[in-house]
Amino acid sequence: MYEDYQKILEELKTRSHFRNLKDFERKDEKFIYYKGKKLLNLSSNNYLNFADNKAITKEFLDTDGAQFSFGSASARLLTGTLPVYNELEELLANLYQKEGALLFNSGYHANVGISSALCPKGDVIFSDKLNHASIIDGMKLSDGKFFRFPHNDMTALENLLIRERENFKNAFIISESVFSMDGDIEDLKKLVELKIKYNCNLIIDEAHAFGVFGQKGLGVAEELGIINDVDLIVGTFGKAIGSMGAFAVGSRILIDFLINKSRSFIFSTALPPINIAFTKWIIENKLPQTLQKRKKMLEIAKNFGSPSHIIPVIIGENKDTVDLCKVLFHNGYFTLPIRPPTVPIGTSRLRLSLTCEIEEAELQILKEKINEKLLAK
Ligand SMILES: Cc1ncc(COP(=O)(O)O)c(C=O)c1O
């Protein structure tokens, strides 16, 4: 019965696409311990160093955390809503100056639940081609139609809108702000212009920007002053915030619609109260103190040629990329090769993600090793 699976797994191995879990020994802020070595972790979304941080965990437990339980034992719509959930939603709605907010168990839950709920038959979604798998899965689950436009290509999007918009009732444009694999930033101002011109709703996933961009850390929409123009903003807590979960903020009617129609929200046990309380505590007490560190991190990224803290180093072939990761490992860096099908064939790369305690000097040897590899090609 499992022969077909076996065959597929063998094929994956032949093409160097087989995925397996790694046994890390320990994580400690910006470092990760692996195969007996202490390595600078350049493959983590722990952008503000709030996760794997003993001092932060202790401070939270000492001041606030110990009163909260480790299980909610119920979905939000059953008995899963304690005051702390409402307080976090209220905090987010206030920060974004939106009418409502809704928590999801993860960014994956949020995106799957949002696209599938908001786009019934007769409606349409226009989605950036490089949008995250969770957005794609949400669109596949919806009964509406979806089109994918070439990455950050506003002319192609407009041509698509001219051709298709009038064939549908409600329309949505969905994009990430900071792209998870390329670290580049979508032209959100142009998206706002197009959404107005073609009467669409705009949904922006700020998973990698929430906690990093903007004066308050709310994301790229804050930085550009366009929060008001975005109908639904999605953010996640598992990256910069160092916690788990996600949120959407928007109008009361959209939030109420998601509460009633988003299956990933309705049919899943709520996150543990202690986790919700940690997220709220970080956003209220720690995030406001990070502005300088965030600026410094983005400055370092700029010196590597990236507009965000995610730096793609495109090597090309799988083997060259894997070999470079090995060299970097021996020099004290933890990096991961990103290969097809995650990225297009021939664009295998390192995806370096900075965290805010990393000093530029710590990246000197890394820079040299990367340059050596690129020159040798
Ligand atoms: C753009 C984007 N959206 C959503 C997600 C999913 O978030 P989570 O890990 O909380 O499920 C990710 C995860 O990497 C992401 O990159």
Side-chain angles (χ1 to χ4, degrees), residues 45 106-108 111 132 134 176 180 205 207-208 236 238-239 244-245:
N45 300 322
S106 71
Y108 189 89
N111 285 332
H132 190 258
S134 53
E176 298 177 29
S180 56
D205 179 351
H208 293 274
T236 59
K239 304 181 195 304
M244 183 65 205

Side-chain angles (χ1 to χ4, degrees), residues 188-328:
L188 298 191
K189 283 197 168 167
K190 187 70 188 179
L191 286 189
V192 168
E193 198 185 304
L194 292 176
K195 97 147 204 175
I196 293 168
K197 189 168 172 189
Y198 294 95
N199 186 27
C200 302
N201 291 280
L202 180 58
I203 302 177
I204 300 296
D205 179 351
E206 299 255 30
H208 293 274
F210 178 61
V212 175
F213 282 84
Q215 193 78 7
K216 294 184 189 164
L218 302 182
V220 177
E222 184 204 350
E223 187 138 325
L224 298 175
I226 57 162
I227 288 180
N228 250 340
D229 303 306
V230 184
D231 299 278
L232 208 61
I233 294 179
V234 175
T236 59
F237 305 132
K239 304 181 195 304
I241 301 302
S243 180
M244 183 65 205
F247 68 91
V249 285
S251 65
R252 191 67 252 163
I253 192 151
L254 280 186
I255 297 301
D256 283 345
F257 194 79
L258 292 174
I259 292 171
N260 282 274
K261 289 290 181 188
S262 175
R263 294 170 68 83
S264 61
F265 171 80
I266 299 169
F267 297 108
S268 191
T269 299
L271 287 176
I274 193 163
N275 178 269
I276 302 292
F278 181 69
T279 300
K280 178 171 169 271
W281 182 80
I282 289 280
I283 293 174
E284 278 181 324
N285 299 289
K286 297 294 168 191
L287 184 58
Q289 300 164 24
T290 56
L291 186 59
Q292 291 317 316
K293 285 182 178 181
R294 294 192 272 121
K295 276 189 175 160
K296 194 186 89 182
M297 177 169 74
L298 292 173
E299 215 36 59
I300 297 175
K302 211 160 132 197
N303 296 340
F304 272 83
S306 178
S308 80
H309 50 302
I310 297 169
I311 306 166
V313 180
I314 298 182
I315 304 299
E317 295 307 315
N318 284 356
K319 187 178 174 311
D320 287 337
T321 315
V322 172
D323 287 350
L324 178 57
C325 285
K326 284 181 189 159
V327 170
L328 293 174

Side-chain angles (χ1 to χ4, degrees), residues 7-121:
K7 206 169 133 211
I8 290 168
L9 291 175
E10 290 308 326
E11 267 172 32
L12 289 174
K13 283 179 188 165
T14 315
R15 288 186 287 130
S16 305
H17 289 170
F18 186 76
R19 299 172 199 249
N20 59 324
L21 300 170
K22 293 184 177 51
D23 292 322
F24 297 112
E25 287 126 31
R26 187 157 76 85
K27 289 194 280 183
D28 185 9
E29 300 187 40
K30 63 181 169 181
F31 296 108
I32 190 159
Y33 295 75
Y34 186 44
K35 295 184 176 169
K37 275 175 84 78
K38 178 182 179 181
L39 304 156
L40 193 66
N41 190 355
L42 292 167
S43 295
S44 165
N45 300 322
N46 187 16
Y47 304 131
L48 301 180
N49 284 110
F50 292 145
D52 308 311
N53 184 322
K54 286 198 190 77
I56 290 273
T57 308
K58 183 172 181 330
E59 192 183 335
F60 166 67
L61 291 174
D62 287 349
T63 52
D64 204 17
Q67 60 179 298
F68 293 99
S69 77
F70 287 94
S72 70
S74 186
R76 287 288 301 284
L77 284 168
L78 301 177
T79 59
T81 300
L82 287 167
V84 71
Y85 296 72
N86 294 330
E87 287 161 17
L88 178 55
E89 285 172 342
E90 219 166 279
L91 171 67
L92 291 160
N94 284 337
L95 281 169
Y96 283 91
Q97 292 288 293
K98 295 279 190 193
E99 289 171 5
L102 187 64
L103 303 178
F104 287 86
N105 286 357
S106 71
Y108 189 89
H109 283 78
N111 285 332
V112 163
I114 289 168
S115 309
S116 56
L118 292 183
C119 186
K121 199 169 184 330

